Amino acid sequence: MVRAAVLPAVNAPLRIAEIELPEPGPGQVRVRLAAAGVCHSDLSLSNGTLRQPAPAVLGHEGAGTVTAVGPEVTTVAAGDRVVLNWAPSCGDCHFCGLAEPWLCARSGAAANVPYATLAADGSALYPGVGTAAFAEETVVPAHAVLPLPDGVPLTDAALLGCAVLTGWGAVHHSARV
C-alpha cells in the first residue's frame, strides 16, 4: 500500500488515503515519486473544468525512480531516474504516423482506465492525466516515463513534465519571443 492524495469526486477536497497499486503489467513501470509539481490543470481537473474520471489521484508533473518494470519493458529498468510524461504519444495513430506526436489521438487514454484501488473499500481509482503523481508511487505505461541524465535533481525534473514545457510553448508559440 502507498499513500496518495485522492480526489473523491469533482469539487470535493483532496484527502490522503491508502491505495493498492498492482504490480506493473506488460508495458508498464512502477515509479517511486520523489517530487511532484502543482499545476493549475490539477485545479481544473478537481473542479470539473477539465474532464477526469473520479475518484482519482491527480498530479501530472512528477519525477522519481523506477522500482519495477513489467514484461516487455526495455526502455527503463529498476533504479533508473525518470520524469513522467502526462501526454505520451502512442506512435500508431494517424497523427503519430504523420510525425506529429504532439497531436496524438491516444495520448490521454491512460487517464480513463482505473490503475489502482482504494485500500479502504476496493473501489477503482483513476490516474489523474494518466500519471497520478500526487502519490508515493504510481504505475504508468513505459512510454510515459523518460530517463533522466545523471546530475539532474528530481525536484527540478518534476517541473519538466508540464511547467517548463508549457512556459516555453507560451513564450515561443504565443508571444513569439
Side-chain angles (χ1 to χ4, degrees), residues 73-168:
V73 174
T74 59
T75 54
V76 293
D80 286 353
R81 296 162 12 95
V82 295
V83 63
L84 300 180
N85 177 0
W86 60 269
S89 59
C90 72
D92 294 323
C93 72
H94 172 75
F95 293 109
C96 287
L98 293 174
E100 295 178 337
W102 56 89
L103 297 175
C104 178
R106 297 185 199 124
S107 66
N112 297 312
V113 179
Y115 87 115
T117 57
L118 274 170
D121 63 10
S123 60
L125 282 173
Y126 293 87
V129 195
T131 55
F134 291 169
E136 294 173 321
E137 296 186 19
T138 190
V139 174
V140 296
H143 65 278
V145 297
L146 302 166
L148 289 168
D150 291 336
V152 176
L154 292 173
T155 52
D156 295 349
L159 298 177
L160 292 173
C162 183
V164 171
L165 297 178
T166 301
W168 180 86

